[in-house]
Amino acid sequence: MILLGIDVGGSSIKGGLADVTRGELTRELLSLPTPQPWAPDAVMRTVADLSRKLPASGPAGFAFPTVVKRGRARTAANVDEGWIGIDGAALASDAIGRPAVFLNDADAAGIAEIKWGAGRDTPGTVIMLTFGTGIGTAIFSDGRLLPNTEFGHLCMPAGEAEHYASARIKTEQSLDWQQWIDRVNEYLEQMHRLFWPDVFILGGSVSENFDEFRSLLQSPAEIRRARFTAQAGVIGAALAAAMSLDKP
Ligand code: BGC
């Protein structure tokens, strides 16, 4: 079964067709710039564009960087405040003309990694971290997700984690790998102190450079590179859409 996944981020909106029985994209990921500001109507025009370029049938998955409770966006840390209270599935469904499933972007990325990627067949506590405009977190216990964890907003001695150690901050403050990873290590230490995970999975586009910084990373937990890096949100969104078909 091939389903459409959409992942909205601070700089780009990505779309892809994923074979949800094999966990891989069937063609190259498409990406369009995120409209600024990210008001719901503007985002949905881009989603509709992507969906026209990626024809598919069946439900689509729509991953977005907010808490999603009972289908509605509840926070707006890096997005337009107009999203709060929005039924994202209904809006996406209007834009693409088919049913849609709405979920948090880090949860989507984590679902993909647990099912087919770096967290596959891994018992215990696994924490997926996505480093991008913000820091996304998805926490799994024996493969089961605790949805909507928001530990990118953890208060650290230097301030809010995602204002200190996200990939955006690395770029904005022109931090080199060592400077950035020093901050990431502080964050991993705080997260480890709170959750004692067995494994951290590091994701987001920046994880494509994992080989450049892996030797600098430090944690008592095992640290794995995300398998799907920048594609994880799209693949996980498509997987969430597939899972919606199994629900009564
Ligand atoms: C948001 C999260 C999101 C993360 C990564 C944070 O600012 O609050 O919901 O998962 O960014 O995009």
Side-chain angles (χ1 to χ4, degrees):
M1 186 170 36
I2 293 172
L3 297 178
L4 173 66
I6 303 271
D7 181 21
V8 178
S11 50
S12 65
I13 302 184
K14 301 187 194 79
L17 296 177
D19 180 337
V20 292
T21 48
R22 296 171 50 178
E24 57 191 32
L25 293 179
T26 58
R27 48 173 285 185
E28 209 176 308
L29 202 70
L30 292 186
S31 171
L32 293 172
T34 307
Q36 302 296 337
W38 324 10
D41 286 359
V43 169
M44 284 307 155
R45 276 193 293 276
T46 308
V47 168
D49 271 8
L50 282 172
S51 142
R52 273 192 294 276
K53 292 179 176 133
L54 295 164
S57 54
F62 179 50
F64 200 73
T66 55
V67 168
V68 177
K69 292 293 277 185
R70 291 176 205 87
R72 290 185 189 271
R74 299 296 296 275
T75 56
N78 286 309
V79 308
D80 188 280
E81 296 235 323
W83 278 94
I84 292 184
I86 291 279
D87 178 339
L91 212 63
S93 171
D94 280 354
I96 66 175
R98 301 201 311 280
V101 169
F102 186 43
L103 75 163
N104 172 265
D105 58 349
D107 286 352
I111 288 170
E113 293 292 340
I114 288 286
K115 174 86 179 162
W116 292 295
R120 193 170 182 169
D121 298 328
T122 306
T125 302
V126 176
I127 303 188
M128 171 84 201
L129 300 170
T130 62
F131 290 87
T133 303
I135 297 178
T137 58
I139 301 185
F140 295 83
S141 172
D142 290 334
R144 220 181 129 84
L145 172 69
L146 173 67
N148 289 309
T149 56
E150 286 280 318
F151 288 97
H153 303 294
L154 187 72
C155 290
M156 297 178 47
E160 196 174 321
E162 71 174 24
H163 296 159
Y164 181 61
S166 62
R168 173 176 61 91
I169 293 293
K170 177 184 185 307
T171 307
E172 282 179 8
Q173 300 186 6
S174 307
L175 304 177
D176 63 22
W177 289 120
Q178 180 71 65
Q179 289 167 321
W180 181 59
I181 292 298
D182 284 347
R183 295 182 179 201
V184 171
N185 283 339
E186 279 178 57
Y187 177 61
L188 295 179
E189 189 187 335
Q190 296 283 335
M191 290 293 283
H192 187 269
R193 194 170 57 82
L194 295 171
F195 296 102
W196 287 82
D198 299 285
V199 175
F200 283 117
I201 301 174
L202 262 56
S205 305
V206 74
S207 58
E208 282 161 13
N209 300 97
F210 192 74
D211 287 342
E212 301 204 35
F213 59 76
R214 73 184 321 153
S215 63
L216 308 174
L217 286 164
Q218 283 170 7
S219 174
E222 186 188 343
I223 301 176
R224 298 182 189 166
R225 172 206 175 131
R227 172 176 174 203
F228 298 114
T229 60
Q231 302 177 349
V234 164
I235 296 177
L239 181 56
M243 284 161 24
S244 75
L245 293 170
D246 298 332
K247 290 192 184 141

